[in-house]
Amino acid sequence: MEMSQAGPIERHPDLVEMRARYEEASESPQGQTLEGATLLAGVYLAISPWVIQFSATSFDVAMGNLVIGLTVAVLALGFASAYSRTHTVSWVVPLLGAWTIIAPFVIVGAGVGLGMMLSNVIVGGVIVLLGLGMSSLMLMRRG
């Protein structure tokens, strides 16, 4: 058997049909809106420490927001470019959003500034909702 050819599982009719359905769902207006909004939310989260001007005591939260925001943005780009291959990790996005909500309280504790708290809670909530939308994208297309 040649290694350059796709294995028999790659040519299985069910797998081919499933990938086609995922691509169709991803290319729908709802899918494109969710992907774009998720990308924007991730970019905002990454730059939010400098937009909101977190205090020097919240450096750990700022770096966390940068890393989590970039991760969400990269996942959104993956969903936009190859949803059929990346849909299995769409459940990670709501978890990252939930972490964004609780991070200022867990990492900083009592030193949470109002701007930092509001920014994280709002963008975290948006990321949770967008992630749930991405995770349920295939369910919306069935029927």
Side-chain angles (χ1 to χ4, degrees), residues 31-91:
Q32 291 175 348
T33 300
L34 286 169
E35 292 158 356
T38 304
L39 175 65
L40 289 175
V43 169
Y44 172 77
L45 180 61
I47 66 170
S48 66
W50 295 275
V51 172
I52 304 297
Q53 297 180 351
F54 290 5
S55 68
T57 60
S58 58
F59 178 78
D60 293 336
V61 176
M63 290 301 101
N65 281 9
L66 177 64
V67 170
I68 297 297
L70 291 176
T71 302
V72 169
V74 167
L75 285 171
L77 287 173
F79 298 147
S81 63
Y83 188 73
S84 66
R85 299 199 185 264
T86 59
H87 72 278
T88 56
V89 294
S90 61
W91 61 270

